[in-house]
Amino acid sequence: MRFIFSVMYLFIPLSAALAAEPSALPAPSAESALSGERSGDFERRLQRLESGAVPAPADPSQATADALNPAISLVLNGRLSALSEDPATYALPGFALGPDVGPGERGFSLGESELWFSANIDPNLYGSLTLALAPAGRATEVDLEEAYLQTLTLPYGLTFKAGRFNSRIGYLNEFHPHADDFADRPLPYRALFANSAGDEGVYADDGAHLRWLAPTDFFLELGAELFRGESFPAGGAANHGKGASTLFVHIGGDAGPSHAWRAGVSRLRAEARARATGAEAAPDLFTGTSSVNGVDFVWKWAPQGNPAITNFKLQAEYFTRDEDGEFDPASSGVPFPYSGEQRGWYAQAVYQFMPRWRMGLRFDRLNASAVDAALAGTVLDNRGHAPQRASAMLDFSGSEFSRLRFQYNRDESRADARDNQWTLQYIVSLGAHGAHAF
C-alpha cells in the first residue's frame, strides 16, 4: 500500500502539471487518425503511415536539402516499479529465455531510450536509423535497433526495404515498445521473440523485405522477408547467412464512418545453429528448425471518425511455435532430441474515456507441450503449469509528446509464485517521431 500512495503522490501532481500546458487536445496519433478517415483511400493512407516516410519532393534540389537535414527525435522512457517477487527468479516454464528477460528491476530505473534519424534520400529512397540507449550500471549500451532504406516509387504497389528492421509478422512486432499501449509486451512476444537483456519481444534482423499493396477498394497487402538468421528464434546465421524467412498477409478496411479494422496471418521459419539461451556462463543450446505461425486482429472505433474526445481499440494475437532438433542443457555436450509445440495468445482493450485519459485491460497466456524424461527439469519442462497474466493500466497524455502511465500486473508466470507488479512509467519524445502502423 505504501507504494500505491507513493505512486499516486507522484502521479497526480505530474498529471496536473502536464494538463496545465497551453496546448489544446493531444494531436491524434497515427493509429487513431487512421481509424477516423474514410474508406476508399484506406490502403493508400495505411501504406503511407506504416512506411514512416513522407512523400518525396518533386524538386530534386529540395530532396538534396532534406537529405542533409534529417528528422531527429529522442524518446525517453523511465519507470518506478514494485515487484512482490524477486525478478532474478523469473521464469516461463516450458520456454527457453535469454539472460535477464523478465519484468525489469525494482525501484527506479531508466528504461531504453531511443534516438531516431530519418529522411528522404532522394525522390526514390527513404532512410531510417534507430539507436537504442540502455543503461548498464553507470555505463550505457548502444544497440542498433533499425537501419534501413526503403523505396518510395516502385510501380504496381510494390515496396522494397533492405537493412536491419522489425519484421511485419503479427501485429505488434513492427511497433517500437515505447509506442505500446502497456508498459510491457504481452507474454507471447516475451516468450517467442525476446532473448536478451532489455529485449521486450521484437523480432528484428538484417535482411530484405518486399510487399505488394493490392489495387482494391479494401486494404490488402502480401509480403515476404528474408533474414540473416541471427535473432531469436533463429541463431547462427544458417544457410550462408539466409537463415530465416517470413510470409504475411494483411487485410482491412473501414466499416462506416466510425469503425476501422485489420486482420492478418503470418509465418516465420527459422534455422537455429547452437542458439544460446539462459545463463551466459553455461547457456542452453538448440540446433534445429523453429516455425512460428500467427493470426492477429485489430478493431478501432472513434465517433464519426474523430478520436480526439473518445475512442476505443480492441486487439488480439495468437501464436504457435513448433521446434524440432536437438537441445543441449547448460552446454553439457550431450544433446537430446527435442520436438515440441508452444502456444501463446493475448487480448487487450484500451478506451480513451475523455481527452488525454485512457484506461486498458489485458490478459495473456502461454502453454508448452510436455517433454520426455530426458529433458525433465530443464527450462523446456512446463512443470504442469501454463503461465498467464492479467494487467490493468491508466495513462494520461499531456500532448502527443508526453505520456504518464500507471499499471498493475497480476503475473502468474512462475509455477510456484504469484507476482504483484506495480509500475509508474513516463514516456516523452523530444522532436517529432515517425508514424507507426495502424
Side-chain angles (χ1 to χ4, degrees):
M1 292 301 294
R2 180 177 299 174
F3 177 80
I4 298 175
F5 286 119
S6 299
V7 165
M8 297 310 296
Y9 180 79
L10 291 170
F11 188 78
I12 294 173
L14 281 173
S15 300
L18 290 170
E21 291 193 13
S23 60
L25 302 180
S29 65
E31 57 189 35
S32 60
L34 181 60
S35 68
E37 297 183 49
R38 298 296 186 265
S39 59
D41 292 332
F42 184 92
E43 66 279 0
R44 185 167 59 255
R45 292 183 274 111
L46 189 57
Q47 185 184 46
R48 183 178 68 251
L49 287 174
E50 290 185 344
S51 70
V54 296
D59 182 358
S61 64
Q62 182 61 42
T64 302
D66 290 344
L68 297 175
N69 295 280
I72 301 174
S73 72
L74 177 63
V75 177
L76 306 180
N77 181 355
R79 64 183 63 197
L80 169 64
S81 299
L83 312 173
S84 63
E85 297 294 325
D86 184 355
T89 65
Y90 185 81
L92 293 172
F95 296 84
L97 301 176
D100 302 323
V101 173
E105 300 176 305
R106 285 169 162 162
F108 290 98
S109 63
L110 180 64
E112 187 177 86
S113 300
E114 182 182 288
L115 184 60
W116 177 74
F117 304 84
S118 70
N120 286 351
I121 299 166
D122 56 35
N124 302 309
L125 292 175
Y126 165 82
S128 178
L129 182 145
T130 305
L131 298 175
L133 311 176
R138 298 297 299 175
T140 302
E141 295 180 349
V142 180
D143 181 45
L144 182 61
E145 277 196 354
E146 292 192 286
Y148 64 84
L149 60 83
Q150 178 176 296
T151 61
L152 297 172
T153 57
L154 284 185
Y156 308 114
L158 294 171
T159 300
F160 177 79
K161 180 189 292 187
R164 177 174 299 179
F165 52 88
N166 294 355
S167 170
R168 285 177 72 85
I169 59 171
Y171 171 70
L172 200 56
N173 191 76
E174 195 178 15
F175 287 79
H176 292 176
H178 70 81
D180 291 357
D181 292 316
F182 287 80
D184 43 28
R185 289 247 148 152
L187 290 180
Y189 277 86
R190 181 178 290 177
L192 301 180
F193 303 122
N195 70 319
S196 63
D199 187 348
E200 278 284 357
V202 176
Y203 179 67
D205 205 347
D206 301 346
H209 156 116
L210 180 67
R211 74 178 185 267
W212 173 64
L213 185 65
T216 55
D217 291 337
F218 56 93
F219 170 69
L220 172 62
E221 71 169 6
L222 293 79
E225 298 164 326
L226 183 63
F227 290 106
R228 177 173 175 79
E230 289 279 12
S231 297
F232 190 89
N239 298 330
H240 306 287
K242 301 181 289 296
S245 59
T246 73
L247 295 171
F248 58 85
V249 179
H250 297 136
I251 186 171
D254 294 332
S258 302
H259 305 269
W261 62 277
R262 202 201 81 167
V265 296
S266 54
R267 176 177 174 82
L268 163 67
R269 188 181 188 281
E271 296 288 335
R273 295 290 179 266
R275 182 188 75 199
T277 55
E280 294 184 11
D284 301 318
L285 302 176
F286 173 75
T287 296
T289 60
S290 182
S291 299
V292 180
N293 298 297
V295 295
D296 59 84
F297 178 76
V298 182
W299 173 71
K300 298 183 180 182
W301 167 82
Q304 297 300 311
N306 180 11
I309 305 300
T310 183
N311 60 77
F312 178 81
K313 179 169 70 171
L314 176 68
Q315 74 184 60
E317 296 188 72
Y318 176 81
F319 292 99
T320 65
R321 182 172 71 188
D322 295 300
E323 295 200 316
D324 191 6
E326 293 184 335
F327 188 78
D328 182 2
S331 306
S332 65
V334 184
F336 297 96
Y338 170 67
S339 180
E341 181 186 49
Q342 302 163 333
R343 301 176 298 280
W345 64 272
Y346 77 91
Q348 68 182 55
V350 176
Y351 177 50
Q352 180 174 304
F353 56 93
M354 62 184 296
R356 304 186 183 187
W357 288 92
R358 305 187 312 162
M359 60 183 180
L361 297 173
R362 180 184 66 191
F363 185 81
D364 37 7
R365 183 180 174 89
L366 299 170
N367 206 316
S369 60
V371 296
D372 57 30
L375 294 173
T378 69
V379 295
L380 298 180
D381 185 355
N382 65 22
R383 301 172 61 186
H385 180 67
Q388 66 182 32
R389 183 177 59 172
S391 306
M393 76 84 181
L394 174 70
D395 67 27
F396 171 81
S397 298
S399 70
E400 67 266 39
F401 301 108
S402 66
R403 176 163 287 167
L404 191 64
R405 176 180 289 133
F406 181 51
Q407 180 170 318
Y408 168 71
N409 293 337
R410 181 186 177 93
D411 192 323
E412 300 178 25
S413 296
R414 302 169 176 85
D416 53 0
R418 179 181 300 148
D419 194 2
N420 293 302
Q421 303 169 351
W422 303 87
T423 300
L424 178 64
Q425 178 191 32
Y426 69 81
I427 303 172
V428 297
S429 177
L430 286 68
H433 193 285
H436 286 278
F438 169 74

